[in-house]
Amino acid sequence: MNIKIIFRIISFLLMLTGIFMMLGIAFSIYYKTDDIFALLISGVITSSTGLLIWLFTRKTKNKEIGKREGYLIVTLGWITMASFGAIPFIIYGAIPNYTDAFFETMSGFTTTGATILQDIEIVPAGLLFWRSLTQWLGGMGIIVLSLAILPILGIGGMQLFSAEVPGITKDKIHPRIRETAKRLWGIYVILTFTEVILLLVGGMSFFDAINHSFTTMATGGFSTKNASTAYYSSPFIQYVFIIFMIFAGMNFTLHYFAFHLKFDFVKRNTEFKFYILFIGVVAVVMTIIHLPHTDFHLEESFRQALFHVTSLVTTTGYVSSDYENWAPFSRMFFFTLLFIGGCAGSTGGGIKFARHFLLIKNSALELKRLIHPRAIIPVRFNGKSVGMDIISNVQAFFIFYIGITVFGSIVLSFLGLDFITSAGAVATCIGNVGPGIGTVGPVNNFAHLPDLAKWILSFFMLLGRLELFTILLIFTPSFWKS
């Protein structure tokens, strides 16, 4: 195993993280807050550590990255970025406990949005910007960003792309991985700043607009307000959030084709049609069900239902009201949405619509195969036959996902949490959603959980963000064999 190249790339990620960390200083200066020192020192520590490791590995001759190196770089890279990303909160004192600071930062980089902050609005502007920036970087993937640069350094990146963007699809919009990374990030930036402009038109301040745009496009859900997006009662702003949450939950390859006016490709995409239909139907059903239980008029009822269904399905986790109190069974209804996820190739977490579609389609066709055992009935996706290796991968993923969620819920219940809270916390963290149910519901947070529970949930956030197999492979004996 090429240990030197692993440390060399992690050192590069640390230098990038330190530089990004210091960007918040601009807001500290503008708003005259006292967090400049914390951001500056943290950025210097992080970048310097990266630079030292880079210098120690400068004589690396073999720059080839195999599959094992790719998985280790991605896993260790995310853990390292979260570990150092917590430093500004510690130095300033906004989050004095390292466990809490690590939990908050891991929640940021994995775009989970679960928070331990009791009063977000007392945190200074620079630190709030860094908190939102962790989600924006984690949304598209800081390693994918690095892929646009690493080829200049003579380091290949296909294995990194495969490890950080796992799943049943590996859509490349250019034969060269560097160009794919550049185009994905270009689309990401354009959509982000389009949302900033629209939120400014809706009356939001520039600081709030850029923070919320970062966390919307990352499907992260961090807000600069204690009430989250419920702080903004403007229907225009809420519809902007809904539209861009939907955009963020889409496969970014579809955005690329849409930008090039190739709309037929978008219309033919099976997962996209399933995604839009699901959100629309569930929002309408939820509107009809909860309308008699709230004081909302019809339009507001539909807007609130659409907002929360979109927020949970895309794993953004924004909250505009306490949906647990809408109807008698709303808690369990929204709990099930924690397991849906966005589209493959999106910034959303969860199981993903493509896997749900293939699982449902294969199960339905299995009934036909029982009746016609000699018939060859393939599962079709986007008009093409899907191989049984992909179906097996989807089934294995689903079993692992549900099994880990159940096991994690039992473990947390042993730590003194009630089972509803345990299940809600694990489901929302492995799905990278943010708010759960029970005492970690939409109007609560994770501050009251035991420290051990926070470390376990931090691991589940990373496990969910890298879609299980990237992490689980490292714990198999065969991974370490030559």
Side-chain angles (χ1 to χ4, degrees):
M1 187 176 291
N2 194 344
I3 301 296
K4 280 190 174 182
I5 196 64
I6 293 173
F7 278 101
R8 189 160 180 81
I9 295 179
I10 289 175
S11 69
F12 178 74
L13 294 175
L14 276 176
M15 287 188 284
L16 273 183
T17 303
I19 293 168
F20 281 119
M21 200 179 287
M22 289 186 281
L23 293 179
I25 293 175
F27 287 99
S28 302
I29 294 171
Y30 181 81
Y31 288 102
K32 299 178 181 178
T33 53
D34 58 351
D35 55 341
I36 297 176
F37 177 79
L39 290 167
L40 180 61
I41 295 301
S42 302
V44 170
I45 290 172
T46 304
S47 295
S48 299
T49 303
L51 181 60
L52 284 173
I53 299 172
W54 179 270
L55 292 174
F56 277 117
T57 56
R58 67 184 182 278
K59 294 182 180 180
T60 304
K61 294 181 180 179
N62 181 9
K63 295 184 179 182
E64 290 297 318
I65 301 173
K67 285 188 176 181
R68 289 192 300 171
E69 286 87 352
Y71 289 124
L72 278 174
I73 287 167
V74 169
T75 302
L76 295 177
W78 281 70
I79 293 172
T80 304
M81 289 186 296
S83 301
F84 279 82
I87 295 175
F89 299 110
I90 298 289
I91 292 179
Y92 182 79
I95 310 177
N97 182 317
Y98 186 77
T99 295
D100 287 347
F102 181 85
F103 179 91
E104 191 80 12
T105 312
M106 181 61 81
S107 179
F109 277 118
T110 58
T111 74
T112 304
T115 183
I116 54 83
L117 289 173
Q118 303 279 28
D119 189 353
I120 297 169
E121 293 175 31
I122 65 170
V123 178
L127 284 178
L128 282 180
F129 179 77
W130 166 239
R131 180 172 174 263
S132 299
L133 188 59
T134 59
Q135 291 204 326
W136 193 68
L137 293 171
M140 184 56 67
I142 192 169
I143 292 173
V144 172
L145 173 63
S146 304
L147 292 177
I149 306 170
L150 287 173
I152 299 174
L153 308 173
I155 299 172
M158 187 58 213
Q159 301 301 340
L160 296 182
F161 184 81
S162 298
E164 188 178 54
V165 190
I168 63 170
T169 60
K170 297 281 193 306
D171 294 319
K172 292 196 300 176
I173 51 184
H174 193 278
R176 298 179 64 183
I177 197 66
R178 178 188 173 191
E179 295 302 317
T180 297
K182 285 168 65 176
R183 283 164 171 75
L184 288 174
W185 265 95
I187 294 166
Y188 194 50
V189 170
I190 290 169
L191 288 173
T192 300
F193 286 97
T194 302
E195 185 183 358
V196 171
I197 294 168
L198 289 173
L199 291 177
L200 289 173
V201 171
M204 195 180 285
S205 70
F206 177 73
F207 180 74
D208 287 347
I210 196 166
N211 278 272
H212 283 94
S213 296
F214 277 0
T215 59
T216 302
M217 286 311 303
T219 63
F222 275 161
S223 176
T224 55
K225 304 297 180 184
N226 291 327
S228 187
T229 52
Y231 179 87
Y232 305 98
S233 58
S234 164
F236 177 83
I237 288 178
Q238 289 187 345
Y239 279 119
V240 169
F241 282 138
I242 290 168
I243 291 168
F244 281 88
M245 283 191 288
I246 290 173
F247 283 165
M250 288 170 54
N251 188 325
F252 269 70
T253 304
L254 299 184
H255 290 302
Y256 175 81
F257 285 108
F259 277 129
H260 288 78
L261 304 179
K262 297 179 180 179
F263 296 109
D264 286 344
F265 186 91
V266 179
K267 289 188 291 185
R268 289 197 306 266
N269 188 271
T270 302
E271 184 184 31
F272 174 71
K273 289 187 286 188
F274 184 35
Y275 169 67
I276 294 298
L277 181 65
F278 182 89
I279 290 175
V281 170
V282 173
V284 170
V285 170
M286 198 61 208
T287 302
I288 296 169
I289 291 171
H290 84 81
L291 188 58
H293 300 276
T294 66
D295 296 328
F296 299 148
H297 54 73
L298 183 59
E299 184 279 329
E300 185 177 8
S301 181
F302 173 73
R303 177 169 22 102
Q304 292 292 343
L306 181 61
F307 184 95
H308 283 98
V309 169
T310 304
S311 179
L312 293 180
V313 165
T314 62
T315 74
T316 307
Y318 279 151
V319 174
S320 64
S321 63
D322 186 2
Y323 53 74
E324 284 194 298
N325 294 323
W326 281 4
F329 63 90
S330 58
R331 171 180 287 185
M332 288 309 299
F333 181 86
F334 283 109
F335 176 69
T336 59
L337 295 183
L338 300 178
F339 293 89
I340 304 300
C343 296
S346 72
T347 61
I351 295 175
K352 300 290 193 304
F353 273 89
R355 289 194 181 96
H356 285 294
F357 179 86
L358 291 175
L359 197 66
I360 294 168
K361 190 73 178 290
N362 186 62
S363 299
L365 291 178
E366 192 63 32
L367 298 176
K368 287 187 177 181
R369 295 186 190 112
L370 290 173
I371 300 171
H372 307 285
R374 295 186 179 182
I376 299 174
I377 310 173
V379 177
R380 294 192 176 277
F381 186 75
N382 290 336
K384 298 178 182 178
S385 178
V386 177
M388 288 309 297
D389 57 331
I390 294 179
I391 299 297
S392 297
N393 180 284
V394 169
Q395 292 172 337
F397 181 92
F398 190 81
I399 292 169
F400 272 117
Y401 195 98
I402 300 301
I404 291 169
T405 302
V406 172
F407 176 75
S409 302
I410 294 170
V411 170
L412 288 195
S413 66
F414 281 132
L415 299 180
L417 303 179
D418 65 270
F419 190 73
I420 290 177
T421 298
S422 300
V426 173
T428 196
C429 286
I430 198 171
N432 304 133
V433 181
I437 59 173
T439 62
V440 293
V443 295
N444 302 297
N445 62 27
F446 291 70
H448 65 285
L449 300 186
D451 282 358
L452 181 56
K454 291 170 186 171
W455 285 107
I456 292 171
L457 292 174
S458 295
F459 173 74
F460 284 151
M461 291 179 202
L462 184 62
L463 191 65
R465 175 60 181 82
L466 298 179
E467 299 203 358
L468 307 190
F469 294 138
T470 298
I471 304 290
L472 295 179
L473 273 172
I474 295 173
F475 293 97
T476 61
S478 58
F479 178 85
W480 300 98
K481 292 180 181 178
S482 299

